[in-house]
Amino acid sequence: MNPVYELDSQEYNKKLAEALKKLSEFKKPEWVEFVKSGPSKERPIDDPEFWHKRAASILRQIYKNDVVGVNRLKTLYGSKKNRGMKPEKFMKAGGKIIRTILQQSDKAGFTEIAKAVRGTRRKPGRQLTKKGKEFLEGIK
């Protein structure tokens, strides 16, 4: 069977992140140490492995859902914002990190922009290429 579904998601994402570290296209930008991952967060990201872990998670989501856009990923990685005395409110994640990872995966040849199909409601987004599917299924 397929290792993407066979392995536990956390275990698979760690193995995929390790494999992505070896690729030259997936480099952590300098600015990532100074930004928050979204408006609901209070502090910048502390984890030094965050970039590769998030890239692995995004690639796995694209594999599972066939076509995924930035807006859907922003909703997926969003969280509740602590607003003091007011009730918590859901806020989407920031899009810059997601867009940059998708651009890096496009450059690596793992994803491509899906074309909109006339007569359907499917909006264009990113989909995996054959090379990307083989890479994800090759992780063991």
Side-chain angles (χ1 to χ4, degrees):
M1 189 160 155
N2 191 337
V4 178
Y5 297 117
E6 204 172 89
L7 295 173
D8 178 47
S9 60
Q10 284 183 334
E11 181 182 336
Y12 180 78
N13 280 350
K14 285 181 184 176
K15 290 181 179 182
L16 182 56
E18 290 297 322
L20 290 176
K21 277 185 201 175
K22 297 173 185 169
L23 298 175
S24 62
E25 288 88 0
F26 287 93
K27 287 188 179 172
K28 180 171 78 168
E30 298 152 9
W31 51 262
V32 84
E33 298 171 8
F34 307 109
V35 298
K36 304 186 300 182
S37 61
S40 60
K41 304 297 181 187
E42 292 183 6
R43 304 199 33 83
I45 303 153
D46 289 338
D47 187 9
E49 305 298 320
F50 167 79
W51 190 260
H52 296 98
K53 288 179 183 177
R54 180 59 59 96
S57 177
I58 287 174
L59 286 174
R60 187 170 180 274
Q61 288 298 322
I62 296 172
Y63 186 89
K64 281 176 29 183
N65 297 322
D66 192 33
V67 177
V68 178
V70 175
N71 204 30
R72 183 182 282 186
L73 291 170
K74 284 172 62 171
T75 304
L76 180 73
Y77 294 112
S79 60
K80 290 188 176 185
K81 179 173 177 68
N82 181 1
R83 303 189 312 157
M85 293 297 289
K86 295 183 267 185
E88 291 181 339
K89 182 179 176 184
F90 180 81
M91 304 285 281
K92 290 183 179 182
K96 175 70 173 179
I97 293 172
I98 295 169
R99 272 192 307 279
T100 307
I101 289 173
L102 289 174
Q103 289 166 358
Q104 288 178 347
S105 64
D106 285 347
K107 192 183 287 185
F110 294 158
T111 58
E112 63 185 2
I113 296 175
K115 303 284 188 239
V117 179
R118 281 191 157 211
T120 63
R121 295 178 137 195
R122 190 175 103 177
K123 291 185 177 179
R126 293 297 203 303
Q127 65 185 10
L128 285 176
T129 60
K130 186 176 180 182
K131 179 182 176 184
K133 286 182 182 179
E134 289 172 358
F135 182 78
L136 290 176
E137 291 169 357
I139 303 296
K140 297 202 190 278

